[in-house]
């Protein structure tokens, strides 16, 4: 039980990024942008393509959370 309380404290607390984390966020966004552009260039404009974009954005957000919470 205590473990989940500690995780909740980490998950729902603001974490000001340090310089290394800012670089990590930027690398993730740059990579995601390349992938999103590849989707735009290669997938037909349809609901599946829209879902693909959404999932790329979700993946970046989850990866950012992993960075911010330092893997907790």
């Amino acid at each position: 039980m205590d473990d989940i309380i500690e995780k909740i404290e980490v998950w729902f607390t603001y974490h000001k990024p340090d310089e290394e984390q800012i670089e990590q966020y930027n690398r993730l966004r740059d990579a995601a942008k390349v992938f999103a552009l590849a989707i735009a260039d290669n997938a037909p404009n349809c609901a599946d393509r829209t879902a693909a974009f959404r999932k790329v954005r979700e993946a970046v957000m989850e990866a950012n959370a992993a960075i911010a919470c330092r893997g907790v």
Side-chain angles (χ1 to χ4, degrees), residues 2 5 11 16 27 39-40 42 45 51 58 60 62 65 67:
D2 289 340
I5 300 302
W11 294 337
K16 183 176 179 178
R27 285 192 299 270
I39 292 168
N42 293 285
N45 189 3
E58 289 171 359
V60 171
E62 293 295 338
I67 293 167

Side-chain angles (χ1 to χ4, degrees), residues 36-58:
L37 289 170
I39 292 168
D41 287 344
N42 293 285
N45 189 3
C46 63
D48 290 327
R49 184 174 93 157
T50 301
F53 290 136
R54 184 176 304 110
K55 290 180 184 296
V56 172
R57 293 181 67 209
E58 289 171 359

Side-chain angles (χ1 to χ4, degrees), residues 10-51:
V10 172
W11 294 337
F12 296 98
T13 300
Y14 173 73
H15 305 280
K16 183 176 179 178
D18 60 31
E19 287 300 317
E20 180 182 3
Q21 289 172 310
I22 291 170
E23 290 175 19
Q24 292 169 321
Y25 295 139
N26 288 335
R27 285 192 299 270
L28 283 173
R29 275 195 309 273
D30 290 345
K33 183 177 178 181
V34 169
F35 187 43
L37 289 170
I39 292 168
D41 287 344
N42 293 285
N45 189 3
C46 63
D48 290 327
R49 184 174 93 157
T50 301

